[in-house]
């Protein structure tokens, strides 16, 4: 099995996969579909205890936190990119206003 693919859906991992206690890695989409109420690893025939299930739920929460952090970082990068573009446009606008004022000043001096 390709280690860059989820063994359940066979899709490539788009982000850091959830690593279960048994060592299997599952993509976040499959974890969401399976839900946190399952008591066994979908790939292992060994029954998990209730205590192991709470660890599994903690793993799911960590995975969700990781997903949120990735999304928040992407949003922050996009906001910074857009802010840079806005500042560039404001600078160009100021340059145009100054250029026009200088041009009108020369025009006014020349025609007075």
């Amino acid at each position: 099995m390709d280690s860059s693919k989820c063994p359940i859906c066979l899709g490539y991992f788009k982000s850091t996969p959830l690593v279960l206690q048994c060592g299997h890695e599952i993509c976040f989409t499959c974890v969401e579909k399976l839900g946190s109420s399952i008591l066994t690893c979908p790939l292992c025939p060994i029954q998990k205890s209730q205590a192991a299930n709470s660890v599994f739920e903690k793993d799911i929460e960590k995975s969700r936190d990781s997903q949120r952090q990735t999304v928040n970082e992407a949003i922050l990068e996009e906001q910074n990119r857009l802010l840079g573009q806005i500042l560039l446009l404001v600078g160009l606008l100021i340059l145009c206003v100054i250029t026009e004022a200088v041009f009108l000043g020369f025009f006014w001096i020349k025609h007075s």
Side-chain angles (χ1 to χ4, degrees), residues 10-78:
L10 303 179
Y12 286 100
F13 293 122
K14 294 179 182 142
S15 62
T16 304
L18 174 67
V19 180
L20 303 176
Q21 294 297 312
C22 60
H24 285 117
E25 295 179 338
I26 300 175
C27 73
F28 185 72
T29 304
C30 287
V31 170
E32 287 291 308
K33 286 179 185 175
L34 294 171
S36 62
S37 61
I38 62 173
L39 296 175
T40 60
C41 169
L43 303 170
C44 289
I46 301 169
Q47 186 74 13
K48 291 189 179 282
S49 68
Q50 194 64 24
N53 188 47
S54 68
V55 171
F56 181 68
E57 289 175 357
K58 288 177 187 174
D59 287 341
I60 291 174
E61 190 57 37
K62 283 182 200 173
S63 180
R64 285 183 182 142
D65 290 344
S66 174
Q67 290 285 329
R68 285 185 199 109
Q69 182 178 359
T70 302
V71 168
N72 288 341
E73 288 170 358
I75 290 171
L76 186 59
E77 285 179 21
E78 182 65 10

